[in-house]
Structures are given as structure tokens and as C-alpha cells.
Amino acid sequence: MSAPADTRRAPEAPGRDASHADPRAAAILVAFVMFLSILEATVIATALPDMARDFGVAASELGIGITAYLMVSTAFLPLSSWVALRLGPRRVLTVSVLGFGVASLLCSQSPTLGFFVAARAFQALCSSLMTPVGNLVLLRITPKHRLVEMLAISTTPALIAPVIGPPLGGFLTEAFGWPSIFLINLPLTLVGALLARRLLPRLAPQRLRFDAVGFVLIASALSLLIYGLDRLGAHPDAPTVPLILMGTGSVLAVMAYRWLRRMRHGLVPLDALRHQTFRAISYGAGMLMRIPHMGLALVLPLYFQLAFGLSPGMAGVLLLANNLGDLAVKPFISRILRRVGFRSGLVVGTAMMMAASASVAAFTVAMPVWLMALAMFLIGMARSVPFTGMVSLAFADVEADELPGANVLNAIGNALSAAAGISLGALFLNLPLGDGLASDPLPYRVALLALSGIGTLSVFLFLRLPADAGAKVTGNAPAVTEPPVRA
């Protein structure tokens, strides 16, 4: 019997055009699929109250639609690198983008919450193969010295999605109803499939062994953890079953880790975890910092619409101002990080971001909308440096042959922090606080302060990064000096 192929270090067999592949073209494609995924995640925020009314559930119950998306996409993330290498990334990306469009159509036609959750699960399955597969190709064909340049191309255009997503969702919901926020994906997915065929280099498939045990352990662990978090957020008064689910998921996660450590050809190589910078961004300080960001994505639209009585369109404008503030700082971040370094940028930027997020709890009904918008703009500016810095730092020290595993591990860390943030946001909103009415601002303020407090803990973890963390990326690596020669 022949030995199984090494999924971690087997060289990529180039296709006809891979040897001359332009990483810029791949970066443009990744930017587009990221745009599509992020638009889908942000455009739904301002439509949640209308969807809840149509489905006959509480607005906070719509968190299950977001959580189901995260649960399925995260559970299948470990397959993304294996499927891409086994079938060819261009083919996989094209099919997954088209499938995302079909799933969006099903979401728009959902008659019940159950049908919607199932359609979102299908959408999540396709999403799990979109951005990770594109990123895998981009990271593999980009020389290290061009990594910052290519990441800037692949991530900066995607910032347009969170800028236009909330107001677009609000205006579409008011004008055409919430199903229209999913129908806009149909022409975008057709464009995405065409770009995948035109821009992605042709990389020949590899014969790889499938680690079935590793997949079952990882998928089961992630599904139980995320579903347990969702149930805890939805029903904080009945924590027993959610805690059992999360406990079981944690045990399976430990088993999966030990299995992957022991297996030479495991489904997800763990080599990248040897780098402190990668661990910190994917599972340490970076995870804690992302939790409040995702929690606020659930809390803020409900806060503005239910507690302040603003329309979906006006709530979208406030979220638009928030994202415009983020975008306004982007052109200067490379210079900022080059001057102060990653550690200082992340420490100071995160502290400012959490203080600014907590300040939203001070908003009142009597506050003019223009003043709210200005405050949201400044809050967006505060978060720009730490988020962009994390994207660049995550892969700064990762070697080329570690990229497939690092890409999956980083995506799993992002998804877990997103699930935790959304579930914690729902948990705080569902606590028995105030008068129990959806219009009572107290639960929203408690959620804002609590989430910001959780994110503040990441400041102390960022302080543990080396002073020269990411120096290879910024170009500030200390020069190697030769010892003086004695005469």
C-alpha cells in the first residue's frame, strides 16, 4: 500500500498559468468574495426587527439565523483547504459562489424561521469555501515581501461592504421588504463566478488523503460550542443544557487537538500555532477583541430602532457613519504601524476602541441624530488601527508551507469569536433587566458596557507581544550587527 500524501508539505503542482500568476489578480478576487460575504453579514442587521415580526418571534431570537450561519460555515471550514487542493481551487470557488446565490434566493423566499435557518445553513456551507479558498491561493502565490501590498488590496475594497451594508439593508427593507436584501446577491454571485474563472490561477488538483476522524471531531466540537453559545444567549434563565453542550464541545475540541498533534497528515496542520503572533491574533488577544465587535453588530441595530424608535434607514445611516470612520483612517494605518509598531498600535487602538464603544451607552432619545452620527464616525475611527493591524500581523511570521493550516485555523478563530460575540450580545439583552419591554434602553446599555469590558481584557494580552512583533511586515526589523573584530 502506498504512503498517503502529505497534506501539509506537498508542493503545489502548477497548472498552465500558475507559474506566471499575478497575485494582484487573486487579491482582487478575494476582495470581491469578501465583499459578498461581509455585505451579507451587514445588510441583514437593520432588517432583523422586520424579519422577527414576519416570523412571529422576538427580535433577539433572530440571532439563531446568524448563529446557524456561523455554526455551519465554521464546522466546514476545516474542509476548505482540503477540498481546494483535492479538486482545484478555481473549480471549488466558482461552484461555491454560484451555490451562495442559490441559497440567497431560498433565504428571500423563507415562509418561516425554520426554513430561513435551513437556507442560511446552505448559504453558510457555500460561504465556508469562498473566502478561505481565495485566501489560500493568494497566500501561496504571493512572495513574503509583497504580502502587505496584496493584503491591502484584498481587504481594503471589502471595507465598502460594511460601509454600504447597513444603510442599504435599511432602505431596501423599507422600500421593498426584507427579502430584497438577499435578492441583491444574485447578480453579485454571477459576477463572482465569472471573476473566479478569469482571475484565479489554475492550480492542478492533488491526491490527498482525507482525515475523516479529524473532520468529525473538529466539526462536532465547533458545532456544539457555537450552538451551546447561541442557546445560552437566547435562554440565560435555563443555562443547564447550553453548558452541557459547550462542555461536550470543549472535550471534543481537546480530543481533536490531540488527534491533529499526533497525526502526521491530519486534516488541519497545526504548525502555525508555534508562532506567538499567530496564536495571539487567532486565539488570544485578537479573539477577545473581536468578541465585542461582533456583539455590537447585533446590539446596535436593535438599540437604535427599538430603544430610540429610529427607522431601519436611519439606523443604517448611523452604522454607515461608524464604518465611514473606519474607512477614513485606512490610508494612514501603514504609516502609523510603521512608526509605532504593532504592539503599541494594538494596545492603544484597542483601548480607544473599547472606550468609544462603551460611550454609546450614554446616547439618549433627546440626542440629535447628527450628533449620534458624529459619535459613531469617531468610534469607527478608533477601531480602524487595531483591526487592520491584526489582519497584517496574523500571517507575518507564518512560513509558506504552513499557510493552508494557518488559513483554516485563523478562520476558525474568527468564527468562534463572532459566535461568542453574538451570543453574549443576545444574553445581555435577554437578562431580566428594566421593565421587560423591548423599548427599554437599559438592557442595551448593559450589553454595550459589558461587551466593551470584555474587549478591554485584550489590551493586557496585547501588551505581552514582543516589541518587534511584525517587524518583517513593517520593514522595521532590526539590522543584524556584526560583533567588533579585535585587532
Side-chain angles (χ1 to χ4, degrees), residues 53-284:
R53 281 194 294 270
D54 283 359
F55 292 148
V57 299
S60 58
E61 283 291 316
L62 261 295
I64 184 61
I66 301 174
T67 303
Y69 186 91
L70 286 170
M71 184 169 66
V72 175
S73 61
T74 306
F76 284 92
L77 274 175
L79 282 180
S80 59
S81 290
W82 184 88
V83 171
L85 295 175
R86 182 67 181 85
L87 302 178
R90 187 163 68 170
R91 178 187 304 166
V92 171
L93 189 58
T94 302
V95 172
S96 61
V97 169
L98 291 174
F100 191 86
V102 173
S104 299
L105 179 62
L106 293 175
C107 287
S108 72
Q109 303 303 309
S110 300
T112 63
L113 178 60
F115 189 97
F116 175 73
V117 170
R120 285 282 283 179
F122 177 40
Q123 194 179 42
L125 174 61
C126 299
S127 176
S128 69
L129 298 175
M130 284 167 48
T131 302
V133 170
N135 269 327
L136 173 62
V137 176
L138 176 62
L139 292 169
R140 290 186 75 128
I141 68 175
T142 302
K144 181 71 74 172
H145 68 278
R146 297 189 66 189
L147 186 58
V148 175
E149 176 192 357
M150 293 303 108
L151 286 176
I153 294 173
S154 68
T155 58
T156 300
L159 293 172
I160 300 172
V163 170
I164 69 174
L168 179 63
F171 292 131
L172 286 175
T173 300
E174 285 190 74
F176 307 106
W178 65 261
S180 61
I181 68 175
F182 296 101
L183 293 176
I184 61 172
N185 289 333
L186 301 186
L188 294 177
T189 53
L190 293 176
V191 173
L194 178 62
L195 288 177
R197 300 296 299 176
R198 296 290 297 273
L199 298 182
L200 206 64
R202 190 163 50 234
L203 302 175
Q206 300 179 31
R207 295 177 64 100
L208 302 175
R209 174 192 175 194
F210 179 61
D211 178 14
V213 174
F215 172 69
V216 170
L217 287 174
I218 298 171
S220 301
L222 294 175
S223 298
L224 288 172
L225 284 170
I226 293 175
Y227 186 65
L229 283 168
D230 173 78
R231 292 299 85 196
L232 182 63
H235 304 286
D237 55 332
T240 303
V241 172
L243 290 176
I244 291 174
L245 291 172
M246 289 189 289
T248 306
S250 300
V251 171
L252 290 175
V254 172
M255 294 173 61
Y257 176 77
R258 291 180 175 177
W259 172 266
L260 295 174
R261 282 285 300 270
R262 187 169 66 250
M263 290 292 293
R264 184 182 172 195
H265 311 295
L267 181 64
V268 181
L270 303 178
D271 307 50
L273 291 175
R274 67 188 180 91
H275 302 290
Q276 182 185 2
T277 50
F278 180 82
R279 294 195 308 272
I281 299 304
S282 297
Y283 293 95

Side-chain angles (χ1 to χ4, degrees), residues 424-475:
L424 286 173
L427 184 149
F428 294 126
L429 294 183
N430 286 321
L431 289 176
L433 302 171
D435 57 18
L437 299 177
S439 59
D440 183 4
L442 179 61
Y444 305 98
R445 289 171 176 159
V446 170
L448 289 166
L449 294 173
L451 289 169
S452 300
I454 291 171
T456 302
L457 298 176
S458 65
V459 173
F460 304 99
L461 295 181
F462 279 132
L463 280 168
R464 301 177 63 183
L465 287 171
D468 61 347
K472 296 177 184 176
V473 172
T474 60

